[in-house]
Amino acid sequence: MAPQNAHPNAELLEQSAIKGRSLWDDARARLMRNRAAVTSMVILGLLVLLAIVGPYIWPHNHATIYRDAVWLPPTFENLHIFGTDAQGRDLFARVLIGLRMSLAVGVVATSVSLAIGVLWGATAGFVGGRLDQFMMRIVDILYSLPFIFFVIILMVVFGRNIILIFVAIGAVEWLTMARIVRGQTIALRGMEFVEAAEAAGVSRLSIIRRHIVPNVLGPVVVYATLTIPVVILAESFLSFLGLGVQEPLTSLGRLIAYGAQDMEVAWWTLIFPGATMMLTLFCFNFIGDGLRDAIDPKDR
Amino acid sequence: MFGYILRRLLVAIPTILIIITVAFFMMRAAPGSPFDTERPMPEEVRRNVEAHFGIDRPLHEQYFNYMRDLAQFDFGPSLKFRDKTVSEIISEGFPVSATIGALSIALAIFMGSLLGSIAALRQNKPADFGVMGLAMVGITIPPFVMGPVLALTLGLYLGWLPTGGLDPRLGMTPDRLILPVVTLALPQIAIISRLMRASMIEVLRSNYIRTAHAKGLPSRAVITRHALRAAVLPLVSYLGPASAALVTGSIVIEQVFQLPGIGRQFVTAALQRDYTVVMGVVILYATLIITLNLLADLLYGVLNPKVRYE
């Protein structure tokens, strides 16, 4: 039922009205035009699928030892397409498990860093004043520290617990996120459209929901995407040193460490895990860059 | 300026104290002890050894003893290497780490600013895409992949360079340094060339560059005399974080190339619960990084007259 005082041509107007394009529609269109980012998304999708489903359907288990097939070069015979390692385990199955571990670390540790960073930055930005200065001073100090030492000590203390690796790495990588969120929050607080909304009597919650969150979200999403490869690298770094996940579980970093040991006799043990890791990192970096260009086009 | 330095130092001191304290108690909270051997020692021997190093005392007492010694620059004896003090271990390893770190940062600044400037001057042309593509590769490939791959190809297959084993007795000959230094520098070259490109593009758009061109100065002079000077500034403020990244990277590099530096000693010591060595390395690196950050900030202030430190 039409309202009583509707415009006489209301129906016509509705039909001819051009559907508004939100900032997010624009951003999506820009992202889809970025070939590197789209390709990366497709490849990454395949990698994620492989990591999740692969271990269930691949005929070899990552922990099964084939005693008569030690250091087998890549071959289609028996489907050891990546060859086998020093103990005769199928390398492809191990790469799948390693990839799964690396992706899991990427997602979980980034979420941890996201939670800490956003809370810290938003609090500092909203409250402002002394508290802001104090909180950001802490961030400055932490920025200049060799964090990796503390992560190494933490690993030693708590004995290579997977959950702890996730949390420890996430707890180290939140600093930049906090800075970004604080900067955005402060900038937004002074914006005319926020003041206008306040003046119009919009409730505080609605302002946060309609104006603050969407505007902070862009940079946060971009930075989170770029944090994932950093976090994956950190875990691999620890695993490379023998401080990360433990056998029979494995991660790409651990596989690369074995590969580096055995490369003189079995190049494939280094090249395949290394290439998988690089491919994954490339994808995240291209997607992150693409998102940044799409959401914040003025940087181009 | 002086007041600024003083204030920074005043912040640095409690920072280092907190680092020392946290590292001390974290390390002691680790299960296991430096005297866990394959065959357990007899109980009395163990008690004697622990008494000798004073780690049978209550934890807070150990902490105060440690801090007291530290105030006299005494890092204590290594708990694992008999007859060696932590200072000796560090002074053996540090020259190796420092040489590789210093050469890497020098290489990274030179190559990074060169490549970044080239990319900026040829913006959106093949040279630019080439450099930025390489930078992406440099950022993406971690040193612990790059190191073994370089050692495999250049060292083993082609036989151009020795793959590792920087024996201090053989001396740090240049050919032995190339691979570790290049591997450590690559990610930094990538980051610096990105920074340089962005800042160069910004500078090239500025009015005084247009003025210089309008005056009829040759392009070469405009770039080297005017643009480069301003474009280099952001690099200076990156030097602080870069030094921290190099410290992290050196741990891997020393592992990959079997170098006797302190990064490798740190990991070994942490795994063996060699408390005093771990503490020594943490304190050294924390101090180093804080100092380098301060120096980078001061240098930035000297080079950029718009910045005033009060």
Side-chain angles (χ1 to χ4, degrees), chain A residues 187-199:
Chain A
L188 285 171
R189 248 189 358 190
M191 288 283 189
E192 279 100 347
F193 67 85
V194 174
E195 273 174 30
E198 255 166 28

Side-chain angles (χ1 to χ4, degrees), chain B residues 102-115:
Chain B
L103 287 174
S104 299
I105 194 74
L107 181 69
I109 292 172
F110 178 73
M111 288 303 292
S113 44
L114 185 70
L115 289 174

Side-chain angles (χ1 to χ4, degrees), chain A residues 114-229:
Chain A
L114 200 68
I116 304 176
V118 170
L119 272 179
W120 194 276
T123 312
F126 265 122
V127 179
R130 280 252 174 90
L131 186 74
D132 176 29
Q133 279 193 352
F134 176 70
M135 288 173 87
M136 284 300 128
R137 198 68 227 157
I138 291 179
V139 170
D140 288 345
I141 291 172
L142 293 180
Y143 238 111
S144 58
L145 290 189
F147 251 119
I148 207 69
F149 287 107
F150 282 99
V151 177
I152 289 174
I153 297 179
L154 260 181
M155 289 299 113
V156 172
V157 172
F158 293 101
R160 306 169 193 187
N161 177 328
I162 294 181
I163 305 293
L164 190 87
I165 297 176
F166 289 9
V167 174
I169 295 173
V172 168
E173 297 292 345
W174 58 275
L175 299 172
T176 311
M177 183 65 86
R179 278 192 178 171
I180 291 173
V181 172
R182 169 181 174 269
Q184 284 284 315
T185 315
I186 288 179
L188 285 171
R189 248 189 358 190
M191 288 283 189
E192 279 100 347
F193 67 85
V194 174
E195 273 174 30
E198 255 166 28
V202 180
S203 77
R204 199 152 186 195
L205 204 69
S206 301
I207 292 182
I208 291 177
R209 196 168 52 83
R210 288 294 301 274
H211 297 299
I212 307 282
V213 171
N215 281 301
V216 177
L217 208 57
V220 166
V221 167
V222 171
Y223 191 70
T225 319
L226 291 171
T227 304
I228 294 177

Side-chain angles (χ1 to χ4, degrees), chain B residues 98-155:
Chain B
T99 309
I100 292 174
L103 287 174
S104 299
I105 194 74
L107 181 69
I109 292 172
F110 178 73
M111 288 303 292
S113 44
L114 185 70
L115 289 174
S117 309
I118 292 175
L121 292 171
R122 308 255 182 286
Q123 200 188 349
N124 293 330
K125 296 215 179 83
D128 181 20
F129 292 129
V131 169
M132 284 304 105
L134 277 180
M136 188 62 134
V137 173
I139 289 174
T140 311
I141 303 181
F144 56 84
V145 176
M146 190 52 106
V149 168
L150 285 182
L152 184 67
T153 51
L154 299 182

